[in-house]
Amino acid sequence: MGRDLPARVITVVLMAVAYVTCEVAAHADGRPGAFGLAFGGLLLTAAVMLAVFVRRPVHPKQRLPWKWTLCLGLGFILPLACEPFVRQLLGEGFPLELQVVNALRTLGLLLAGLAAWPRLRRLSAVVSLFLALFASAMGDQPAIPYLLMAFAVCGGLWLILDHRAGTGEPVAVRGEVVKRVKLRLPYREALVFAVLAMAAVAVVIAGPKRVMLTLGELVPTSGGTGDTDPFARYGVGNGPEEVAGDNAKTAGMVESDKVIEDNKDALVDVVSDLYGPPHKPRKELERLVAGGLAEVIQNHGKLPDNRKPSRDFDTSRKGPGDSRKPTSSSAARGRYEVEGRTPLHIRMITYIRYLAEERRWEQGRKPGSRLLEHTGGEWMEVRGMQPGNWYADDDHHRLKVADATDNVVPTPPNLARVRIQRVDKAEYYDWEYEGVLSLSGRKKTPPGVVVNTDCHTLDPGVLPAESFPTVGFNPAYVDVPESLTIDLTRIADKWAGHLPRGWSQVHAVLAKLRAEYSLDRQARAPEHHSHPVLWFLEESHRGPDYLFASAATLLLRSLGYPARFCLGYYAHPDKYDPATQHTPVSDDDLHLWPEVLLRDGQWLVVEPTPGYEVLPALKPWTERLADTLAFLGEWASRNAVWLSAAAALLGLTVVFRRRLADAIVTQTWRLFPGRTWRVQALRAMKLLERRAVLAGQRRQAGETLTEWVGRLPNSDAALSQLRSLAEWAAYAPSSPASDPPAVAVCQQAVRCWPYRRFRGGSA
Amino acid sequence: MTAFPDVPASSVATLSVLRSALNVALRGKPEVIERVLACLLARGHVLLEDRPGLGKTTLAKALAAAVGGVFSRVQCTPDLLPGDITGFSVFNQKTREFEFQPGPVFADVLLADEINRTTPRTQSALLEAMAERQVTVDNVRHKLHDGFFVIATQNPIDHHGTYPLPEAQLDRFAMKLSIGYPDKQNERDMLSAAVGKPDGRDELPRQAVMPAVLVGLQEQVAAVAVASAVQDYLIDLATAVRNHPKVPHGLSPRGLLTWQRVAQAWAFLAGRPFVTPDDVKLVAQPVLCVRFGPNVPTDVIPSVLSTVPVPVYPR
């Protein structure tokens, strides 16, 4: 092992610290990705094994064996090449510069593993230093300073141990000389650099805009556009559209000038615009569904009690008009941007009791028992009853507020924890309804706020019968108006009465509605009809989603299931934008649905409306891997012809790589044989040497041409003649007096000594 | 192509005669003969080191006879004085003046037999003669013959009563050679040739080259071209030797000059008017080992030669 073993180990440690620092910095929430850590762990293990078991080179300047060179090259290239598949597998990706950093991390760990070579050891330290600096400049996570401190300590140790390892090395290698370097100006390099620089300037000045955007994408975290790489981060905190929030990738500021109350965007107008106004608005309830009391007060002053708006939902509406006004004054393309799996239901208002006479749903009340606790980092965890054991893995979403109508914090159902940057105290939040979070004391959720959430996911099919409570809940959740009880009970019994209690009954109701009723947003109950829900169930068999939701809620209540009626937004999978990897949610996505209470206090979203789905349970990684493989297989089958051609071409290139290289160098020699006899002789000799290299007969560094030619099997006169001519060309002041023309000698030797002859074959 | 004159045919013929004469005198050792000739043409001096009875003195005497001119022999003993080699001044009673009596160093070929048996003081008497081809006696400088050539012999195994040659003395030699045992065929020929000779003495070869011709050959050798790439190669080799951890004393600039000159001679003997790296490598062993002394491992020179890149293509 030698005295450099401590230096090797500290090199690996140094690189590991830099790796973790980058991993932390790359994730905005400060929680390293499991995939990244697992991959890093594997690499680290490999690096440790290499560092311990790879033999020290005979001397420090010994060339790295080709297999290690290949490993280093693959270590850099593979992370870049695998990025598309990782994106497909995990649904997450990195911008280009982070991909390069990832590749550098892999390369650095491999370099650390090969720290037995002093030059690689020092190169690894340089790479780790770069990564640490990059992470420190990029990340502001709380863990970063501690990791940098650890890096500094390891770096100091590395300097000591590397110096100690270096003191044992001979200053000059045995038998090796320090080559004399001719000091000359780098004309050639300067010329190449100048040409490249001018080309770059020309492209920037005269090239198409897309080229400039692509160049800007190289440093996305400093202001990339996101146009060419959907994973590129738009300038954090400094983008021109940061505040406007119409780009799904913008993030950052909570406080901004755009926090302007705008009564035109109130939820009441949105709902009325989408579903039409109520048939008979009561005078005292001009707004049946409002965006909040505060806006009205701000715009109209304090209202008398009889003019206070209500958030109740009227189920007797005139239907949407023909001339719908623009839904938003903002430049944003939607109210929210959702990053993560869809479909997703985002609650705004929940309703508890159906008032049959007034044909409206009465809004729910503020809950008193649900807690939100700060659990470390910036995450707030939802506390309450113990979650049931029927949940699959938690799913992560990022919801960006673009143009909110009120102070609701958009969250998915079954919320487990939430994070809004540094808004990390319980008193900053309020529960508007059960399962509906809002910002305490605010009138609107400011644009630009990014809500990170983890929510429970489940497959309702696995729910046991006892997961639906029969007692211990607010009786209003099973309340059915007396005027509707008989009819609804009859229908519910007809549809699901024969089934055992549990999900099968719920599913039967939902399936019936989805199968035999059709969605029609224009449909409206006749003004004289006293019960729109019954009109929908028994007469029209078609209607808008609020009738589906109302009918389902009341039917489930008739069967004894605690249920409620919800208004919110539906993040539709069809609206997914692959360019930004976000799903915009606009006013057109306003939706109503029923929810069923579970024993653990969570509300299960169910979907009776055709065309709407519920977020499925998060699949384990094995299933996702299988899906990815299936995707790859499908992709491969779609491009089978091209793939086969490419594979065949690649295979042929690999198999005949030496012959290919020989053909290239031979053709190059034929094109440029040289003008003078001296150049001709040397180029022909060099061509033969290259052929010999391809055939494994390389002339060694300390070997003369005569020794090399003498060593070759079946060396003949043609080769000896060329060797003699090359020696004259290389060392003599003039040409030989009596030899044949140089061109003839060269051509004869090149013809007599093809590549295969160097491999032992015949000419 | 521009023609470049090869080695003249007359020179080749002369060398062939000289080579043949020496090969007859010392049977079965053509490689040793070739190196001795290279040393002679390079105007260097040769140190023959080998066991007793292997033909060191025979080779020296044959070479002296073949190149003609004045031949002197000094049997070095511990009581030999510097004056016994360089000469000394004697007071002439008749002329009432001191007259210089030249020593054996005033010859074309000087055989210093068993040179390590004389004292360092006497060994040092040869320093000026070998390096500058002159001696200074009583503040008077006496020039030696143009073709002055020293062949010294020493026995490597019997160290009793010997004085190892100092580094400065060794650096004056161009090369050190060992002869080694002849093979069976050559020993049989040698035995056959001795039959019928009552005194057992070898016949010395006839003079093969006139001193003036030899000087002409030496001038032609000095004119052999050495490309700058080859000179760079020589410098690289010298640097590698100097930096080698097992070599206590590196190659001196005089040693490097000698190496180049011997390589020129080797190229000349091959009939080539320019030096190649092959010439440099082939003469490296005898040129370097005389300067390394006995404590340097034998694998140093091959390892240096195998690692320093040979220049072929212009950089």
Side-chain angles (χ1 to χ4, degrees), chain B residues 25-69:
Chain B
L26 187 68
R27 296 172 191 274
K29 294 294 175 188
E31 69 282 358
V32 177
I33 303 296
E34 206 67 15
R35 287 178 175 180
V36 169
L37 281 178
C39 195
L40 177 69
L41 295 174
R43 301 193 70 182
H45 310 287
V46 66
L47 175 65
L48 296 173
E49 181 182 80
D50 218 327
R51 294 161 180 271
L54 287 178
K56 300 188 291 292
T57 309
T58 303
L59 174 62
K61 286 164 65 177
L63 180 64
V67 300

Side-chain angles (χ1 to χ4, degrees), chain A residues 172-180 182 677 682-683 685-686 689 699 701-707 724-725 727-728 730-742, chain B residues 1-4 6 225 227 229-230 232-233 235-237 239-240 243-246 272-278 281 303-315:
Chain A
V173 180
R174 175 197 305 174
E176 195 166 6
V177 297
V178 179
K179 287 182 182 173
R180 291 201 313 168
K182 289 182 181 175
W677 71 272
L682 289 176
R683 285 189 182 170
M685 197 71 221
K686 200 165 196 172
E689 276 208 54
R699 181 173 66 85
E703 209 170 19
T704 64
L705 286 178
T706 306
E707 291 169 338
S724 175
L725 187 66
E727 284 183 343
W728 277 86
Y731 311 122
S734 293
S735 63
S738 55
D739 281 353
Chain B
M1 291 189 290
T2 309
F4 186 80
D6 288 343
V230 178
D232 286 344
Y233 180 54
I235 294 168
D236 288 347
L237 288 169
T239 310
N243 291 332
H244 201 287
K246 292 183 180 175
R272 207 178 331 102
F274 61 92
V275 175
T276 67
D278 288 293
K281 290 180 77 172
S303 72
V304 168
L305 293 176
S306 65
T307 50
V308 175
V310 173
V312 177
Y313 309 104
R315 295 175 189 174

Side-chain angles (χ1 to χ4, degrees), chain B residues 23-289:
Chain B
N23 275 321
V24 169
L26 187 68
R27 296 172 191 274
K29 294 294 175 188
E31 69 282 358
V32 177
I33 303 296
E34 206 67 15
R35 287 178 175 180
V36 169
L37 281 178
C39 195
L40 177 69
L41 295 174
R43 301 193 70 182
H45 310 287
V46 66
L47 175 65
L48 296 173
E49 181 182 80
D50 218 327
R51 294 161 180 271
L54 287 178
K56 300 188 291 292
T57 309
T58 303
L59 174 62
K61 286 164 65 177
L63 180 64
V67 300
V70 181
F71 170 69
S72 299
R73 171 174 177 163
V74 177
Q75 189 64 43
C76 296
T77 56
D79 57 354
L80 191 72
L81 295 175
D84 296 336
I85 294 177
T86 59
F88 47 86
S89 299
V90 177
F91 186 74
N92 190 330
Q93 296 287 352
K94 293 181 181 174
T95 61
R96 311 294 293 174
E97 288 181 349
F98 280 96
E99 291 182 352
F100 179 68
Q101 296 294 319
V105 77
F106 288 87
D108 291 301
V109 178
L110 172 66
L111 171 60
D113 210 7
E114 305 268 14
I115 191 172
N116 57 342
R117 292 204 173 274
T118 190
T119 60
R121 178 171 170 242
T122 310
Q123 290 171 356
S124 299
L126 281 170
L127 286 175
E128 185 185 5
M130 293 170 71
E132 302 173 34
R133 284 183 164 76
Q134 66 177 24
V135 291
T136 305
V137 179
D138 294 336
N139 288 330
V140 177
R141 198 168 53 197
H142 304 277
K143 196 170 181 305
L144 301 182
H145 295 182
D146 284 341
F148 176 67
F149 179 59
V150 176
I151 303 177
T153 69
Q154 68 177 10
N155 184 347
I157 57 170
D158 185 6
H159 294 296
H160 292 291
T162 61
Y163 304 91
L165 291 171
E167 304 294 338
Q169 181 70 41
L170 286 172
D171 202 35
R172 261 69 177 185
F173 285 102
M175 59 174 67
K176 181 168 75 174
L177 298 174
S178 294
I179 296 175
Y181 293 106
D183 60 13
K184 188 174 180 179
Q185 179 61 42
N186 284 301
E187 280 196 310
R188 186 183 293 119
D189 292 345
M190 181 186 71
L191 292 175
S192 301
V195 174
K197 293 180 180 173
D199 54 0
R201 291 180 183 171
D202 294 326
E203 282 186 19
L204 289 176
R206 290 190 301 174
Q207 185 175 359
V209 56
M210 299 298 292
V213 175
L214 180 61
V215 171
L217 290 176
Q218 289 171 338
E219 287 173 352
Q220 288 180 38
V221 165
V224 168
V226 185
S228 59
V230 178
Q231 289 178 332
D232 286 344
Y233 180 54
L234 270 168
I235 294 168
D236 288 347
L237 288 169
T239 310
V241 168
R242 288 165 188 158
N243 291 332
H244 201 287
K246 292 183 180 175
V247 178
H249 304 290
L251 190 68
S252 66
R254 175 169 47 209
L256 189 59
L257 280 170
T258 305
W259 195 354
Q260 175 177 280
R261 180 58 60 83
V262 175
Q264 285 176 295
W266 196 264
F268 188 80
L269 285 170
R272 207 178 331 102
F274 61 92
V275 175
T276 67
D278 288 293
D279 303 321
V280 174
K281 290 180 77 172
L282 286 171
V283 299
Q285 180 74 27
V287 170
L288 292 178
C289 71

Side-chain angles (χ1 to χ4, degrees), chain A residues 23-334:
Chain A
E23 186 68 28
V24 171
H27 292 81
D29 55 4
R31 294 191 300 179
F35 183 79
L37 284 182
F39 186 62
L42 278 177
L43 277 176
L44 184 62
T45 309
V48 170
M49 301 283 281
L50 286 175
V52 173
F53 293 112
V54 167
R55 286 186 182 179
R56 193 181 181 190
V58 177
H59 61 76
K61 292 185 179 176
Q62 181 176 322
R63 287 184 63 179
L64 191 67
W66 68 268
K67 57 182 179 183
W68 295 128
T69 309
L70 183 66
C71 280
L72 291 175
L74 288 177
F76 186 78
I77 291 171
L78 278 183
L80 297 173
C82 291
E83 176 69 13
F85 303 113
V86 172
R87 288 182 180 187
Q88 176 65 32
L89 175 63
L90 301 179
E92 297 175 355
F94 291 111
L96 179 62
E97 65 176 347
L98 286 186
Q99 291 176 43
V100 174
V101 167
N102 282 342
L104 269 179
R105 289 193 307 176
T106 311
L107 178 68
L109 272 178
L110 289 175
L111 285 171
L114 298 173
W117 274 264
R119 282 184 296 185
L120 299 191
R121 186 166 68 229
R122 284 149 202 168
L123 194 58
S124 169
V126 170
V127 171
S128 65
L129 179 63
F130 170 79
L131 293 176
L133 289 175
F134 181 85
S136 67
M138 182 182 158
D140 58 352
Q141 290 80 354
I144 295 283
Y146 300 102
L147 286 166
L148 289 177
M149 216 179 296
F151 182 84
V153 172
C154 293
L157 274 175
W158 183 88
L159 284 172
I160 295 169
L161 293 174
D162 183 68
H163 174 74
R164 180 175 171 272
T167 52
E169 295 168 1
V171 175
V173 180
R174 175 197 305 174
E176 195 166 6
V177 297
V178 179
K179 287 182 182 173
R180 291 201 313 168
V181 179
K182 289 182 181 175
L183 288 176
R184 64 175 182 85
L185 290 174
Y187 295 112
R188 200 177 303 166
E189 292 80 355
L191 183 66
V192 170
F193 178 79
V195 168
L196 287 178
M198 287 172 63
V201 170
V203 164
V204 169
I205 293 174
K209 189 180 177 184
R210 183 161 184 80
V211 174
M212 295 175 64
L213 294 176
T214 307
L215 289 174
E217 211 66 83
L218 290 175
V219 192
T221 53
S222 302
T225 60
D227 283 349
T228 54
D229 182 1
F231 284 85
R233 296 178 178 181
Y234 198 66
V236 176
N238 64 356
E241 294 165 325
E242 166 68 31
V243 175
D246 64 344
N247 189 311
K249 289 293 184 185
T250 61
M253 299 167 68
V254 174
E255 298 291 344
S256 85
D257 297 337
K258 287 295 284 184
V259 186
I260 299 171
E261 300 306 322
D262 185 355
N263 205 34
K264 283 185 281 186
D265 286 341
L267 197 55
V268 59
D269 299 310
V270 176
V271 172
S272 294
D273 188 45
L274 190 65
Y275 295 106
H279 278 304
K280 289 184 176 178
R282 295 186 306 171
K283 286 186 176 179
E284 68 275 17
L285 295 174
E286 286 182 339
R287 292 185 170 174
L288 293 177
V289 179
L293 178 62
E295 294 93 338
V296 182
I297 293 171
Q298 179 174 338
N299 286 279
H300 305 291
K302 184 173 175 62
L303 292 177
D305 289 346
N306 63 348
R307 289 183 63 83
K308 280 185 181 175
S310 165
R311 290 191 160 198
D312 293 355
F313 190 94
D314 194 293
T315 56
S316 175
R317 291 174 175 272
K318 294 178 178 177
D322 295 334
S323 57
R324 292 180 57 194
K325 59 187 176 184
T327 53
S328 171
S329 61
S330 167
R333 62 176 178 175

